Amino acid sequence: MLEANGLASWFKEEQQKTENWYLASSNPYQQSGWGSTPARWRCVREVILTAVNKNGSFLDVGCANGLLLESLIQWASEQKIQLIPYGIDISSRLIELACQRLPDFTNNFAIANALYWRSTTQYDFIHTLLEYVPSQLHSDYIQQLFNTVKQGGRLIISSYSNRSRQQQTFDVVQYLKQLGYPVAGNASTQEEDGWILTRVAWIEKR
Ligand SMILES: C[S@@+](CC[C@H](N)C(=O)[O-])C[C@H]1O[C@@H](n2cnc3c(N)ncnc32)[C@H](O)[C@@H]1O
């Protein structure tokens, strides 16, 4: 699985599955992997802002069509927090859409595989999901992204559930602790019946 050819095909298959679904529609929510309503989108994604405690640069790793960035900028501004969006994605077609969505920030987007991407700059906030890389590489992946966080900044890791597929979130806090990372904070959002929609945890660079 972890030899170079195996990894390359793993990424290729994941990218293919993503593009087949995301790009099958011009609906911006679907182009970010979201199959429900805008109101529910806010319900499941706004919790990420719990980790955002100041103005600054916000890099979304796996930014798809940039909808999460656009939404977070809007929701943060309602709290008088100004975010500058940055994004990378493995799919050139999704990065193209992200640039169309956020035309004032086209220089802030790049096509890249998050596992191999190395940045020359650092960011106040970096957000990612862990499913972008095989689990054996999670620890290295987190460390590499953490290196790219500015002093006083945060690496934010989310896990989303998918109720129709009965896929639960994973316990991000416990997972990070097991990998040896000190968790600075966490948040979650849930349905009325207790089904957890999103879990978020973050590590801070002090
Ligand atoms: C579920 S969407 C996330 C969109 C948004 N960040 C959010 O949290 O709502 C996942 C995105 O990650 C991208 N992605 C998956 N694996 C990646 C990798 N190894 N490197 C960069 N992008 C990746 C996919 O192309 C897809 O656009």
Side-chain angles (χ1 to χ4, degrees):
M1 172 51 161
L2 289 182
E3 48 90 23
N5 287 344
L7 251 185
S9 13
W10 189 87
F11 285 122
K12 202 170 172 193
E13 274 170 39
E14 291 298 312
Q15 182 179 347
Q16 199 66 60
K17 275 190 270 175
T18 300
E19 288 185 341
N20 285 349
W21 158 241
Y22 288 31
L23 297 168
S25 165
S26 57
N27 176 325
Y29 293 90
Q30 183 167 328
Q31 290 172 350
S32 261
W34 180 245
S36 184
T37 63
R40 282 185 61 79
W41 166 260
R42 183 162 185 163
C43 217
V44 298
R45 295 296 195 268
E46 192 174 14
V47 65
I48 295 166
L49 279 186
T50 318
V52 174
N53 55 348
K54 59 181 180 185
N55 296 341
S57 50
F58 188 107
L59 169 71
D60 188 24
V61 177
C63 64
N65 70 341
L67 183 67
L68 180 69
L69 285 166
E70 183 184 49
S71 306
L72 291 176
I73 290 172
Q74 169 62 34
W75 302 330
S77 77
E78 293 169 15
Q79 301 174 22
K80 309 277 182 258
I81 292 178
Q82 308 307 318
L83 295 179
I84 303 163
Y86 290 80
I88 65 164
D89 202 283
I90 200 166
S91 163
S92 60
R93 294 166 72 197
L94 286 166
I95 284 294
E96 203 179 309
L97 291 173
C99 289
Q100 287 166 17
R101 176 162 301 285
L102 293 157
D104 292 341
F105 300 99
T106 52
N107 290 337
N108 296 1
F109 287 94
I111 305 155
N113 182 330
L115 183 62
Y116 306 122
W117 178 75
R118 298 291 179 269
S119 175
T120 49
T121 36
Q122 292 185 314
Y123 304 87
D124 294 296
F125 302 99
I126 300 183
H127 174 252
T128 192
L129 308 182
L130 292 183
E131 64 208 40
Y132 303 157
V133 303
S135 56
Q136 302 93 311
L137 300 174
H138 282 173
S139 192
D140 291 347
Y141 176 60
I142 292 167
Q143 186 59 55
Q144 166 225 315
L145 286 183
F146 193 55
N147 292 342
T148 309
V149 172
K150 267 189 197 166
Q151 206 69 32
R154 290 174 172 176
L155 173 62
I156 307 163
I157 295 171
S158 292
S159 170
Y160 308 138
S161 64
N162 184 324
R163 197 159 196 177
S164 56
R165 291 194 200 142
Q166 283 299 298
Q167 284 167 358
Q168 296 188 339
T169 54
F170 68 92
D171 188 337
V172 191
V173 172
Q174 276 315 314
Y175 192 68
L176 289 175
K177 282 185 180 166
Q178 273 166 24
L179 292 178
Y181 291 98
V183 175
N186 69 94
S188 64
T189 183
Q190 59 185 50
E191 306 254 36
E192 278 177 11
D193 65 1
W195 173 268
I196 298 178
L197 295 161
T198 304
R199 288 189 207 245
V200 183
W202 55 94
I203 313 168
E204 196 164 85
K205 195 176 264 186
R206 294 170 207 271

